[in-house]
Amino acid sequence: STQSTWDCEATLERVMGLLDELENEDEGELIEDLSYDGASLALTVKGVGTFVLNRQTPNRQIWFSSPISGPFHYDMALGPPLAWVDSRGGPSLHERLKQELGEVFGDAAASRL
């Protein structure tokens, strides 16, 4: 649906916005590569690996691949509140990103997500 596509884009753009900010701050020293093409966001962190967020339009999902915790699929829960929930019942995408970005960049940076 158009709603889930828009929400997916908004989510990816929000994450990219934070990573853009971090790249220009002290934490930027950890970022080896950062790219976003509107459907896929890739962040490579020195000594950690590559995180990838992909919009999966046909499935209305966001797929997340992490060098820390592996692959996950997230479905939109219509809430309230709106959230991307793990298809296997784990933490929401927002919670997982805060946790993993916190491990990499520190909790203060991750809390801005």
Side-chain angles (χ1 to χ4, degrees):
S1 82
T2 304
Q3 179 68 37
S4 61
T5 300
W6 183 86
D7 288 324
C8 185
E9 289 173 3
T11 298
L12 293 177
E13 287 172 9
R14 189 163 126 209
V15 174
M16 185 62 191
L18 171 63
L19 295 174
D20 260 343
E21 289 174 15
L22 293 177
E23 196 171 29
N24 295 312
E25 297 171 8
D26 291 342
E27 294 86 355
E29 295 175 8
L30 299 170
I31 297 175
E32 194 169 300
D33 189 44
L34 178 61
S35 63
Y36 175 57
D37 66 7
S40 180
L41 185 159
L43 164 69
T44 303
V45 177
K46 293 175 186 163
V48 178
T50 302
F51 297 86
V52 179
L53 281 166
N54 281 311
R55 180 177 77 206
Q56 297 294 320
T57 304
N59 302 348
R60 295 187 305 222
Q61 292 182 324
I62 293 178
W63 290 4
F64 176 55
S65 175
S66 163
I68 295 173
S69 59
F72 298 90
H73 298 173
Y74 293 90
D75 298 299
M76 172 163 282
L78 298 177
L82 289 175
W84 290 97
V85 296
D86 185 348
S87 62
R88 295 179 298 199
S92 70
L93 176 61
H94 185 254
E95 289 303 314
R96 185 166 304 280
L97 287 174
K98 278 178 65 173
Q99 176 185 345
E100 296 197 15
L101 293 179
E103 288 180 33
V104 173
F105 297 111
D107 290 336
S111 70
R112 292 163 33 195
L113 188 61

